[in-house]
Every structure is written in structure tokens, then in C-alpha cells.
Amino acid sequence: MEQEIVLDHGTGAQLSRELVEFVVEVLGDVYIGEMEDSATLPVTTSHIAMTTDSFVVDPPFFGNGDIGKIAVCGTVNDLAVVGAQPLYLTLAMILEAGLPIAQLHRALVSVRDTAREANVKIVAGDTKVVGKGEADGIFLNTTGVGVFHDKPKRMTDVRAGDRIIVSGPIGNHTIHLLSVREGLGFESNVLSDCAPLNGMIDELRSEAPLDAVRSMRDVTRGGLSAVLHEYASALDRTLRIEESALPVTHETRMAADMLGIDPLNAANEGCLALFVAPESVEAVLDILHAHPYGRHAVMIGEVTEGHGKAVEMVGADGRVRAIEELRGAELPRLC
């Protein structure tokens, strides 16, 4: 095998075959493709969930993760939050000539290990090679398929009076990547929260009271603010949160203040926003706290009776202020 990706890895000839064989070898038992043009899969349900996403993480390799881990987590989490059980993923890669094979190996190991944790299989894939300078090393695309055992979770199922729970600290992923990128020195104390959340969601489904969790979203690009505005718009309701309840670690707060970043707008890769029936809040929090990815879960607010598609925050002084939705990007591209 070559030491780095070359253009001939994309020609469809011998080097292409060697690259595919390398990918299959590293993925190991999580890859169940048979080298046919299409995967043939058993689906024993009348409805499936399907999602696709592309990943252009900058930097693609960071302290406690990389683009491979994020690609699996992002797609698995998108399936799980609508109530589906993730089963299958595809993996497509755009590789820049000059990418060290060692870095590709690292990304593939992360794909393999994260797919094992999430209990999903890679069933099909593709590789394309572009010239040097035409990509940032490696871009990934994953498409996921899941099946429903219960009814799907919809934003419109949320009701006035429902409480808003966040499953863990916000902003850590953004601060970690910015620190790695800019050499700020925070990355050893503030780790990315990237994680597959379908196992924790499965426990909520099996242990929480029926319809306790009305709806869920994974908090990714645009941060918690984007999720809250999405729900406020869909519901034509005002959502109100408590500033003092927001789960922001001390180190992340310090770094965000120094960088002029609002943690509400910061990207995450292992955090859920859950909309929960008021009588079930304690039960849901108990389940979350028992799981490694939910041990810092907190209730941060509620869906009010008021109409207006607004998001409000109550400050420490009791004053209520509107949280404005970002029109563009407050932050440079991270994922």
C-alpha cells in the first residue's frame, strides 16, 4: 500500500482496488457489504427512517476524536432522535491526493469502533480522489437507515407546559476544536462531547413512562439556540429557559468569554435537547443520569402558553430577554 493517497487511487484500476481492500480490512466486522453494486438488506417493518449528512470537519483530526467518529455519531443520532433504531450506514469518502494513509487509517478505525458501539453496520461505500488543494484532506458522507418500533417522534407532538431538558454540557465540542485549531491550550481540559446517543435513547424508550419524551433533537451546528428556535417556529410558541440552569462547564465558559462566543450558539456532537411531559421530568432525568452520556442532564426551561415563535432567557437578575436567532455564522466552520 502507498504511504499517501495519490490520484491513481481514484482511477478504478489496481490502486483503487487496493484502496477498497484496505478500507474493508480496517472496518472489519462492521462492514457487511459483498462488493456488489448495491447492498441487499432485510427490513421487517412498514416504515423506515433515512438520513444523510456530509462531514467537512476542520480540523479533521483532533484531541479525542476525528471526522470518522463524528460521521458515525452524526448520522446515528439523527436517526435515533426521531425514535428509530439505527441499523445500517453507508460510507462515502472524498480523499485529497497527499493525504497520509496513516490518517485515513485513523479515521477508519474511528468509524469501525464507533459503529460497534452504536451497533450499526456499514453496508456500502464509495471512494473518490481529488487533486491536492481541492479538499481539506478528507470529506465523508454517511447515509443511515433505521426502523421504527414505536411511533416517530415529531416536533409537533410537543405541548405547552412541556419541560426542556439538555442531556449534557453545551459548547465543549466547539471550544475543543477551536483550541486545537488555534493552539489556545484549552483542548486538554475541554474535550469534545462527540458520542453515539442511540444507546441512551433506547434506555429512555424502554424505561421512561409512555410518551414521557415528546420529541428530541441532537444539538449540533447552530447550537442549542438553533434547536430552540426551530421548535418555537414549528410550535408557534414561546420557549423560555433559565440562564442559571444552562449546563456550561467553568472551563468552557472561560474560553468562550475569551473568544467572544456565546455557548448557546456553539456546536455540539453528543448532546440532546429533550421535550418532556412535566409529570415525567424526574423519571427522565433519573434515566439520563444513570447513563455515561447523560450524567450531567438538567432541566433548563419550558414551553410556555404564549404564542409568537420566540425564545426567551431569564437572567440571574430575573430579567427576561429575547434570544435572537443567528442569521449567519457566528463561528468559523467546524463540522
Side-chain angles (χ1 to χ4, degrees), residues 162-323:
D162 285 347
R163 303 303 196 260
I164 305 168
I165 290 175
V166 176
S167 66
I170 59 174
N172 289 5
H173 179 72
T174 289
I175 295 301
H176 180 80
L177 263 67
L178 284 178
S179 184
V180 172
R181 181 191 295 181
E182 305 298 336
L184 302 178
F186 294 113
E187 63 269 18
S188 60
N189 295 319
V190 181
L191 299 178
S192 169
D193 64 344
C194 184
L197 302 175
N198 56 316
M200 183 171 70
I201 293 171
D202 282 345
E203 293 187 10
L204 284 170
R205 184 169 58 239
S206 63
E207 299 178 23
L210 185 65
D211 292 329
V213 178
R214 314 277 201 207
S215 184
M216 295 174 282
R217 278 291 184 276
D218 51 332
V219 184
T220 54
R221 284 181 301 172
L224 181 60
S225 174
V227 172
L228 296 177
H229 278 98
E230 183 181 10
Y231 275 84
S233 179
L235 300 170
D236 188 25
R237 294 283 182 186
T238 295
L239 277 56
R240 181 171 292 178
I241 61 174
E242 299 283 339
E243 184 175 22
S244 60
L246 291 175
V248 184
T249 67
H250 175 68
E251 293 83 359
T252 295
R253 178 72 70 185
M254 287 180 56
D257 288 346
M258 188 189 82
L259 295 168
I261 295 170
D262 187 342
L264 279 173
N265 298 322
N268 310 270
E269 289 292 346
C271 180
L272 292 179
L274 305 99
F275 293 78
V276 177
E279 67 274 11
S280 300
V281 167
E282 185 174 346
V284 168
L285 284 173
D286 285 345
I287 295 166
L288 291 172
H289 290 159
H291 194 280
Y293 296 144
R295 59 185 181 274
H296 299 299
V298 292
M299 185 180 76
I300 63 166
E302 66 178 314
V303 180
T304 75
E305 296 282 353
H307 295 278
K309 303 180 181 180
V311 179
E312 298 176 341
M313 184 161 68
V314 181
D317 57 3
R319 294 183 180 179
V320 179
R321 68 177 179 89
I323 302 297

